[in-house]
Amino acid sequence: MKMLDLFAAAIASGCAVLFTSAYAATPVENLLNNVGAYGEYAGITNTLGSSSGGIGVRAESYWSGIYGNADISYTPGTLSNTPAGHSTMVNLKLGYGVPIDSSLVVGPYVGYQYFANTNTVDGFSLTDSNNAVGGGIFAAWAPDSRWGVQGQLGYLAGVSSSLSDGAGYGFYQQAANLLNVNAEVDYRISGPWSLFAGLHFDHYMESGQSLNLLRGTFGAMLSF
């Protein structure tokens, strides 16, 4: 009876080791599977731009090579040279990552961005919104379980744009194309918790004019 118990225990122990080995996440997988929240400081660096603080939430997933990224931010202050305003940005990415080794993943993605910037003068509000789709390449590097670096470089073509006032009246305008560049450094502080700092640059181009939006982010995330 004791031999049977020992044999059963050995089988159970072996299965547990195999299960753990099969599903043990690599450092780069830990880096890319997370949910987080952050504060940001954003500003338009040209065309009479201004700057303001904001907040955001984001989620990332990397499973069986499929990469997903969702990021939503809100800036309650004006980004233009007006007395008041606010802005909202949504970025979505879906791609496929090729593992170079256990610490490095590189791959293409398709992306979508919605950006709306509202300016208010003497109680009159005007919202300029833009929708763009495109693609690019992403990379993530985690040399160990503590540190990680990731980034994306993409180009999105404008598909629709509108200019509307607070009463709901508006008209369509030519949509802006954009170059999107993101870089982020992550540092694991304890268990699944990490801090991250990022720099995000969007260069909008429309009818020979351009607008540069620069955002710095700092926040915390929970890896899963």
Side-chain angles (χ1 to χ4, degrees):
M1 193 68 178
K2 287 186 176 180
M3 287 296 294
L4 290 175
D5 291 341
L6 289 173
F7 185 65
I11 292 178
S13 177
C15 290
V17 170
L18 289 174
F19 181 85
T20 302
S21 299
Y23 290 92
T26 63
V28 74
E29 289 173 333
N30 282 327
L31 174 68
L32 291 177
N33 287 285
N34 65 79
V35 292
Y38 60 85
E40 71 171 17
Y41 193 75
I44 295 175
T45 61
N46 62 346
T47 64
L48 299 177
S50 183
S51 58
S52 177
I55 56 175
V57 293
R58 68 92 175 279
E60 280 186 301
S61 177
Y62 177 67
W63 183 256
S64 298
I66 304 300
Y67 169 74
N69 181 300
D71 189 300
I72 303 173
S73 64
Y74 175 72
T75 305
T78 180
L79 295 178
S80 304
N81 191 25
T82 56
H86 60 271
S87 64
T88 302
M89 178 180 285
V90 177
N91 284 289
L92 302 175
K93 298 180 178 71
L94 180 65
Y96 185 81
V98 179
I100 307 303
D101 56 33
S102 62
S103 64
L104 178 62
V105 168
V106 179
Y109 71 84
V110 292
Y112 164 78
Q113 185 192 89
Y114 168 78
F115 177 57
N117 185 38
T118 298
N119 298 305
T120 303
V121 179
D122 295 330
F124 178 78
S125 295
L126 197 62
T127 299
D128 188 350
S129 62
N130 192 75
N131 292 277
V133 296
I137 187 170
F138 77 95
W141 178 57
D144 54 43
S145 60
R146 183 71 70 178
W147 288 95
V149 178
Q150 59 175 306
Q152 302 97 25
L153 172 64
Y155 181 85
L156 285 73
V159 294
S160 67
S161 181
S162 65
L163 194 65
S164 59
D165 62 18
Y169 296 100
F171 58 91
Y172 290 100
Q173 59 184 358
Q174 183 175 341
N177 303 324
L178 70 108
L179 175 68
N180 176 253
V181 184
N182 306 287
E184 181 180 296
V185 177
D186 304 86
Y187 178 73
R188 188 178 298 271
I189 52 176
S190 178
W193 291 99
S194 300
L195 298 177
F196 65 89
L199 193 62
H200 313 270
F201 176 72
D202 293 281
H203 175 65
Y204 297 89
M205 299 159 284
E206 185 268 318
S207 300
Q209 299 180 340
S210 67
L211 182 147
N212 298 323
L213 176 62
L214 185 63
R215 300 186 300 131
T217 59
F218 182 78
M221 67 184 186
L222 175 68
S223 298
F224 55 87

